Amino acid sequence: MSSRSAYVIDPPAMASLPVRGRDQRFPVRRIYCVGRNYAAHAKEMGKDPEREPPFFFQKPVDALVDNGVAVPYPPQTKNLHHEIEWVVAIGLGGRNIAAQDANAHVFGYSVGIDLTRRDLQNAAKDLGRPWEWGKSFDHSAPCSAIVTAADIGHPKRGRIWLSVNGAMRQQGDIADLIWSVPEVIAEISASMSLEPGDLIYTGTPAGVGAVTVGDVLEGGVEGIADIQIAIGAPQ
Ligand code: MN
């Protein structure tokens, strides 16, 4: 008997990330991103950094790019921005998770770059339209390997930084998140069912700016992970 696929076309590949010290990868179900979660970045984007409720957007899981891989400069933008972010990987799902219980739902942590077509995002803001085209394009979610909470625990502080061609652009500390990781997990799970395989990009510190073809971006969160990507020619 020949095997026959259950699908009329080949199913898409499962998106995934490597896990440090393991020979198995972490399968990715959804990518949530928190907007404006550091006061200094909210100010640079022209917003009052008062503790307004957190807000979210998503990126498609096939936008993930592994550490060390070149990202082609995306179409339809002249203002591609870097946003270095601490990333949380969910290992245990739930609804209405209390902040004090949230760490038990975390599989591990990594560091990612929320690449943003800032000109398209700003145009969408002006028109009252979704951020989708500014945020959720192909290759828009570079991410390092995941480091397990079993290995490093649940960090509360640590320098977060990004340099372009060796020049420091972004610096902050994950202790300065307006909404902490447990609070973000509580907020998302009050509105959506969090599931194993979900990633959360937790927001970026101040210093976002443009990159162009040939630039090398390096960044990290102290004690968790580093990431390096290059911006390649458009596809
Ligand atoms: Mn961001």
Side-chain angles (χ1 to χ4, degrees), residues 33-36 41 57 83 85 114 116 135 201-204:
C33 303
V34 187
R36 292 192 292 263
H41 173 63
F57 57 91
E83 297 190 358
E85 309 207 0
D114 167 15
T116 301
K135 286 290 194 181
Y201 280 56
T202 59
T204 198

Side-chain angles (χ1 to χ4, degrees), residues 17 59 64-65 67 82-88 109-115 140-145 160-162 170 199-205 219-221 224-227 229:
L17 289 170
K59 288 177 183 265
L64 283 169
V65 177
N67 187 14
H82 54 77
E83 297 190 358
I84 189 76
E85 309 207 0
W86 183 27
V87 177
V88 181
Y109 300 95
S110 62
V111 58
I113 304 175
D114 167 15
L115 288 173
S140 61
C143 198
S144 79
I160 181 170
W161 60 279
L162 181 134
Q170 292 191 262
L199 296 179
I200 306 169
Y201 280 56
T202 59
T204 198
V221 180
I224 299 175
D226 292 337
I227 188 169
I229 61 162

Side-chain angles (χ1 to χ4, degrees), residues 54-109:
F55 66 95
F56 304 93
F57 57 91
Q58 291 188 50
K59 288 177 183 265
V61 293
D62 66 350
L64 283 169
V65 177
D66 272 353
N67 187 14
V69 174
V71 170
Y73 195 92
Q76 297 193 328
T77 183
K78 293 182 167 58
N79 199 18
L80 177 66
H81 272 208
H82 54 77
E83 297 190 358
I84 189 76
E85 309 207 0
W86 183 27
V87 177
V88 181
I90 299 295
L92 175 66
R95 291 192 179 90
N96 297 310
I97 299 165
Q100 72 254 28
D101 301 328
N103 283 346
H105 294 261
V106 174
F107 174 81
Y109 300 95

Side-chain angles (χ1 to χ4, degrees), residues 20 28 80 112 119 121 124 150 156 161 163 169 172 180 184 188 200 222 224:
R20 193 181 73 186
V28 179
L80 177 66
D119 41 3
Q121 184 199 22
K156 290 187 169 61
W161 60 279
S163 68
R169 291 270 191 95
S180 71
V184 165
I188 295 175
I200 306 169
E222 180 183 30
I224 299 175

